[in-house]
Amino acid sequence: MAASDLLLLSLLCMLFVNQCHGACAEVDSDTEAVAGRGFKLGCISCKRRSEVDGAATVEWYFRAKGEADFVRIYTYNEDGPTIEHDHFMDRVDWNGSKRSNDIQDASIYLLNVTFNDTGTYRCFFNRILFYENYEYNTVVSKVVHLSVVAKATRGTASIVSEVMMYVSIIGLQLWLLIEMIYCYRKIAAAGEEALREAANAEYLAIASESKDNCAGVQVGE
Ligand SMILES: *[C@@H]1O[C@H](CO)[C@@H](O)[C@H](O)[C@H]1NC(C)=O
Ligand SMILES: *[C@@H]1O[C@H](CO)[C@@H](O)[C@H](O)[C@H]1NC(C)=O
Ligand SMILES: *[C@@H]1O[C@H](CO)[C@@H](O)[C@H](O)[C@H]1NC(C)=O
């Protein structure tokens, strides 16, 4: 049945997506931090060719609101993480790829956000791809415009996605219900059909019998 096949497929898809944590996906960072709390500045750059070995170092720059220039605040390379700016001293943790030079997630975690952290952040990936006969250098950068608020406000995106989730759950359940009713009725109809056929067969048998009788009667007359 086409409808139930589709349902099964969509359920499988959901399971599959849930199991795909390992795969790299370039998710955009959140852009609204709450003062006094921690905040993850996201920055993900997937390798275009995942089968090619790579190594990357990461630099983060920050331009405070109203300032003209970016300053370097953080680096992550072979020597590990380094906080490069006083404003962020002891307030930045690495949230990116662990135990690997092949960094694809360069997210950092800001502890105890202040309103002074408002501004633009840029992360740079300096990546080397190791091909058989040569190495290939790329630089990828991403920008995060961070605003700091006193209290959490929910982004429209999160509200919309929650509503969509409920809509799709209810939709799938209705579908399932309709499918069940449809199948039930089909089975019931098939049962009736069989009964009717049986009755028909009996009727025919009786009819032909009585026809014989009639013929006998007619002959007798
Ligand atoms: C990011 O780092 C912070 C501070 O070390 C930690 O509390 C948090 O769980 C980390 N988050 C992820 C997703 O690694
Ligand atoms: C966060 O920063 C504020 C002001 O800078 C300070 O008063 C507070 O103790 C800090 N909290 C933590 C958990 O570091
Ligand atoms: C924020 O910046 C202003 C101006 O530079 C400074 O006076 C203030 O102490 C800073 N606040 C924090 C929490 O760093």
Side-chain angles (χ1 to χ4, degrees):
M1 207 161 296
S4 54
D5 282 349
L6 214 60
L7 184 70
L8 191 66
L9 202 68
S10 51
L11 286 174
L12 279 178
C13 283
M14 280 180 222
L15 284 177
F16 186 65
V17 167
N18 279 345
Q19 285 174 354
C20 276
H21 286 305
C24 182
E26 297 196 357
V27 182
D28 284 337
S29 178
D30 281 342
T31 57
E32 192 179 272
V34 178
R37 302 225 191 123
F39 181 77
K40 180 176 171 178
L41 274 164
C43 173
I44 299 174
S45 161
C46 298
K47 280 189 304 188
R48 290 285 163 263
R49 304 275 303 275
S50 58
E51 75 280 9
V52 177
D53 283 337
T57 61
V58 171
E59 291 177 316
W60 275 91
Y61 289 77
F62 170 59
R63 186 180 64 195
K65 197 177 162 194
E67 297 280 317
D69 300 314
F70 279 92
V71 292
R72 188 164 65 187
I73 60 170
Y74 190 84
T75 58
Y76 192 97
N77 54 28
E78 308 81 36
D79 303 330
T82 316
I83 298 171
E84 311 258 10
H85 197 276
D86 286 343
H87 180 62
F88 293 94
M89 212 37 85
D90 299 328
R91 289 207 301 130
V92 183
D93 267 336
W94 180 249
N95 258 179
S97 307
K98 294 181 174 65
R99 294 181 296 274
S100 165
N101 291 328
D102 193 0
I103 299 165
Q104 299 193 78
D105 183 350
S107 305
I108 55 175
Y109 194 80
L110 283 184
L111 295 153
N112 204 2
V113 171
T114 73
F115 287 101
N116 287 4
D117 296 336
T118 305
T120 307
Y121 294 80
R122 279 190 91 158
C123 67
F124 284 87
F125 285 85
N126 301 294
R127 177 173 289 144
I128 307 172
L129 293 172
F130 302 107
Y131 288 93
E132 242 168 68
N133 301 317
Y134 63 101
E135 296 178 356
Y136 183 72
N137 285 278
T138 62
V139 177
V140 178
S141 88
K142 306 254 167 174
V143 176
V144 181
H145 298 283
L146 185 70
S147 56
V148 178
V149 297
K151 237 181 80 197
T153 62
R154 280 188 71 192
T156 28
S158 108
I159 293 171
V160 166
S161 62
E162 189 173 329
V163 169
M164 290 304 288
M165 187 185 79
Y166 286 123
V167 167
S168 58
I169 287 174
I170 291 169
L172 282 173
Q173 289 192 346
L174 276 180
W175 190 358
L176 203 65
L177 194 68
I178 290 169
E179 191 76 353
M180 275 168 62
I181 291 172
Y182 177 76
C183 286
Y184 175 77
R185 291 175 71 168
K186 213 170 164 187
I187 289 167
E192 260 171 42
E193 184 79 4
L195 271 181
R196 208 176 300 132
E197 248 162 49
N200 263 353
E202 210 170 322
Y203 170 79
L204 280 179
I206 293 168
S208 60
E209 219 173 280
S210 58
K211 212 176 175 185
D212 290 347
N213 290 350
C214 286
V217 170
Q218 262 168 2
V219 167
E221 267 175 332

